């Protein structure tokens, strides 16, 4: 039965899924991802639990906690294999591949990208096939395996162009840009030119395309256009290119100006790097703090459950002990009362037997002509009533049910 909590949790899961697909999960999503993973684990919803673990792993990946991220990814992978969830398996393979890629473990990331591609191919998901091909192209680029790089980028372009929706074609310009860069580096300028439209995304490629063919004026034009597009580190790099061009052209004054600006950019890049590292450290601290708080709360809750269980057991044992003790006390009291009654009866019987009248009756009981006088009957009745709690009085109360013979 679907509850309101289930509906709310699923809506939150879908929001995280959108952010994951957009590669927009951050440390601020940790709390929700962690809560959902705990919720679905307790509810025993394996498919949703695997997805929440995937998103939680992605958050850990975003803040640089790679071991924890990998742990969540692998747990999600195990569950998804058991549940045969191909889409989730593809996403997890992508996540693990990206994690190894960011650690520059390119040989380790390739099998997961290949698995990502195979799963997408089995689902006839050309967009994911294109994305997997693009990632493999990036890995081979960094490994300087040019032939493989070209093959994967070409495949990413071909698959991406099969998509009809404009939003799904974002991979195509990225792949073309990267492939054009490879062609420029290998001096295949004609092939590069065919891939590069005249837009801002390709200004860097055009700068190096012209530089590679000694079109220095055009190269300077494009380098100046991109000076502020890639941060301080990029700016320092492009200023070095400009300084070199002007030096080779004999414009020493202009070259020195670029070198001076390059030194300033390098200082700013270093300061920016330190700022980014501080921000990253703060993000990691915040993440770790939240995680510690979560773990502490979980431990406190668990300890409280154990304490309550122990208290319940102690109370039950105490109640059992009190009940048992009360029953034993009641039984002893009843036994004591019965003993007292028995002693009293014995004493009362002995007191009757000690009277002179009892001795007379006992002595003459076998004589046929023995009779008690009226006074002796009264004495006997009084003794019996005294000993046996008004026996004769209670007997005579039954007057209506006794015959005359029984009365006499």
């Amino acid at each position: 039965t679907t509850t309101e909590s289930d509906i709310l949790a699923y809506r939150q899961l879908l929001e995280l899924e959108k952010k994951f697909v957009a590669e927009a999960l951050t440390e601020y999503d940790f709390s929700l991802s962690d809560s959902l993973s705990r919720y679905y684990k307790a509810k025993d919803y394996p498919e949703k639990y695997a997805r929440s673990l995937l998103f939680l792993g992605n958050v850990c990946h975003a803040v640089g906690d790679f071991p924890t991220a990998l742990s969540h990814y692998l747990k999600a992978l195990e569950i998804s294999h058991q549940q045969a969830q191909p889409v989730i398996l593809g996403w997890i393979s992508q996540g693990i591949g990206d994690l190894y890629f960011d650690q520059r473990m390119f040989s380790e990331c390739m099998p997961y990208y290949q698995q990502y591609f195979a799963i997408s191919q089995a689902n006839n998901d050309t967009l994911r096939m294109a994305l997997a091909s693009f990632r493999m192209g990036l890995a081979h680029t960094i490994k300087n395996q040019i032939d493989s790089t070209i093959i994967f980028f070409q495949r990413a372009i071909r698959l991406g162009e099969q998509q009809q929706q404009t939003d799904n074609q974002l991979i195509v310009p990225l792949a073309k840009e990267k492939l054009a860069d490879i062609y420029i580096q290998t001096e295949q300028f004609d092939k590069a030119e065919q891939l590069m439209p005249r837009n801002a995304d390709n200004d860097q490629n055009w700068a190096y395309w012209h530089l590679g063919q000694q079109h220095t004026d055009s190269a300077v034009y494009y380098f100046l256009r991109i000076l502020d597009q890639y941060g301080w580190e990029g700016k320092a790099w492009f200023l070095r290119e400009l300084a070199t061009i002007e030096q080779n052209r004999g414009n020493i004054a202009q070259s020195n100006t670029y070198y001076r600006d390059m030194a300033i950019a390098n200082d700013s890049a270093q300061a920016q790097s330190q700022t980014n590292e501080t921000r990253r450290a703060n993000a990691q601290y915040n993440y770790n703090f939240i995680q510690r708080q979560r773990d502490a709360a979980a431990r406190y809750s668990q300890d409280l459950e154990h304490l309550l269980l122990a208290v319940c057991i102690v109370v039950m044992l105490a109640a059992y002990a009190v009940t048992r003790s009360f029953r034993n006390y009641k039984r002893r009291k009843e036994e004591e009362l019965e003993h007292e009654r028995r002693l009293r009866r014995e004493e009362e019987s002995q007191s009757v037997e000690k009277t002179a009248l009892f001795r007379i009756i006992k002595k003459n009981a076998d004589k046929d002509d023995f009779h008690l006088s009226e006074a002796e009957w009264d004495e006997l009745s009084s003794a019996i009533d005294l000993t046996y709690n008004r026996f004769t009085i209670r007997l005579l109360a039954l007057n209506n049910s006794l015959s005359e013979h029984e009365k006499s």
Side-chain angles (χ1 to χ4, degrees):
T1 302
T2 302
T3 65
E4 291 185 6
S5 297
D6 290 337
I7 295 173
L8 176 60
Y10 188 62
R11 287 175 178 170
Q12 293 172 330
L13 190 68
L14 290 178
E15 288 299 319
L16 290 179
E17 183 174 304
K18 291 178 182 177
K19 298 184 73 173
F20 169 78
V21 172
E23 300 182 357
L25 288 172
T26 68
E27 71 272 14
Y28 301 109
D29 299 301
F30 167 75
S31 181
L32 180 57
S33 301
D34 184 51
S35 297
L36 287 176
S37 68
R38 294 170 185 266
Y39 179 82
Y40 285 124
K41 181 180 181 181
K43 282 280 190 175
D44 194 23
Y45 293 158
E47 186 268 338
K48 295 182 177 64
Y49 179 42
R51 289 162 67 182
S52 62
L53 283 173
L54 166 63
F55 304 147
L56 183 58
N58 195 258
V59 172
C60 297
H61 184 179
V63 300
D65 189 352
F66 297 127
T68 305
L70 184 59
S71 175
H72 291 316
Y73 283 148
L74 293 177
K75 181 62 177 177
L77 188 65
E78 177 186 355
I79 297 171
S80 298
H81 272 304
Q82 295 172 354
Q83 297 295 315
Q85 295 290 334
V87 175
I88 307 301
L89 282 171
W91 286 351
I92 297 170
S93 298
Q94 172 199 338
I96 297 176
D98 289 347
L99 185 145
Y100 284 134
F101 182 92
D102 289 346
Q103 296 179 92
R104 305 188 68 80
M105 301 168 65
F106 304 115
S107 297
E108 286 78 3
C109 77
M110 288 302 298
Y112 287 98
Y113 286 153
Q114 290 167 351
Q115 185 177 6
Y116 180 30
F117 181 88
I119 293 172
S120 303
Q121 187 177 37
N123 294 328
N124 198 28
D125 187 345
T126 54
L127 175 60
R128 306 289 178 231
M129 291 166 64
L131 289 171
S133 298
F134 179 75
R135 282 173 159 79
M136 285 188 278
L138 289 176
H140 283 291
T141 299
I142 298 175
K143 293 174 69 175
N144 201 29
Q145 297 173 340
I146 303 302
D147 292 338
S148 297
T149 299
I150 292 174
I151 290 173
F152 284 118
F153 282 144
Q154 286 178 338
R155 186 169 70 181
I157 294 169
R158 184 178 68 256
L159 291 168
E161 287 177 339
Q162 295 178 20
Q163 297 296 311
Q164 298 300 318
Q165 298 87 353
T166 302
D167 291 342
N168 290 341
Q169 295 186 36
L170 295 176
I171 192 65
V172 175
L174 286 174
K176 286 184 175 181
E177 179 186 342
K178 296 297 182 182
L179 183 56
D181 182 32
I182 298 298
Y183 285 145
I184 292 170
Q185 293 182 49
T186 56
E187 298 186 352
Q188 300 179 65
F189 298 112
D190 292 341
K191 291 183 178 180
E193 186 177 14
Q194 294 174 7
L195 296 171
M196 299 188 303
R198 296 283 180 172
N199 57 29
D201 291 336
N202 282 276
D203 280 350
Q204 182 177 342
N205 277 342
W206 281 115
Y208 283 104
W209 187 86
H210 286 293
L211 181 62
Q213 299 177 91
Q214 300 301 314
H215 305 159
T216 54
D217 288 341
S218 296
V220 168
Y221 168 77
Y222 280 106
F223 279 127
L224 290 173
R225 279 172 60 100
I226 62 176
L227 273 182
D228 297 317
Q229 294 182 19
Y230 297 90
W232 288 108
E233 188 174 350
K235 186 172 186 176
W237 182 270
F238 299 139
L239 284 167
R240 182 188 297 276
E241 299 285 11
L242 288 168
T244 302
I245 292 172
E246 296 301 340
Q247 185 176 359
N248 292 336
R249 294 202 299 189
N251 298 328
I252 304 302
Q254 185 62 53
S255 176
N256 289 337
T257 300
Y258 286 140
Y259 276 126
R260 182 198 62 203
D261 294 341
M262 182 191 72
I264 296 173
N266 276 326
D267 291 341
S268 298
Q270 185 175 2
Q272 183 66 43
S273 176
Q274 293 174 348
T275 301
N276 290 338
E277 187 61 31
T278 300
R279 186 181 295 112
R280 184 180 184 85
N282 288 336
Q284 181 70 54
Y285 172 81
N286 292 334
Y287 164 80
N288 290 335
F289 176 78
I290 295 172
Q291 191 174 43
R292 287 195 301 272
Q293 292 294 101
R294 287 277 180 172
D295 293 341
R299 287 194 300 272
Y300 174 79
S301 178
Q302 188 176 33
D303 292 344
L304 184 60
E305 289 178 0
H306 292 163
L307 177 61
L308 291 175
L309 179 60
V311 170
C312 289
I313 293 174
V314 170
V315 170
M316 292 174 63
L317 291 175
Y320 173 77
V322 169
T323 302
R324 185 179 179 88
S325 176
F326 176 75
R327 289 177 178 174
N328 291 336
Y329 171 79
K330 186 176 180 181
R331 187 180 67 254
R332 287 196 303 272
K333 279 296 183 183
E334 290 176 350
E335 290 174 351
E336 291 174 0
L337 290 174
E338 180 61 28
H339 180 66
E340 290 177 0
R341 285 195 293 267
R342 188 170 61 253
L343 291 177
R344 190 181 304 113
R345 284 195 299 270
E346 291 176 356
E347 291 175 357
E348 290 169 349
S349 177
Q350 291 175 2
S351 64
V352 172
E353 293 175 358
K354 291 178 181 179
T355 61
L357 181 60
F358 179 81
R359 288 193 296 272
I360 293 173
I361 293 173
K362 186 175 180 181
K363 180 179 179 182
N364 298 288
D366 55 347
K367 295 179 180 181
D368 294 336
D369 58 348
F370 175 71
H371 297 285
L372 294 177
S373 65
E374 189 70 26
E376 288 173 334
W377 276 115
D378 290 339
E379 182 182 349
L380 178 61
S381 298
S382 298
I384 292 173
D385 287 339
L386 181 62
T387 302
Y388 296 105
N389 190 18
R390 304 172 67 210
F391 172 77
T392 57
I393 295 174
R394 288 186 285 111
L395 180 64
L396 292 175
L398 303 175
N399 181 53
N400 294 334
S401 60
L402 297 176
S403 65
E404 290 299 326
H405 177 73
E406 289 173 332
K407 292 179 181 180
S408 62

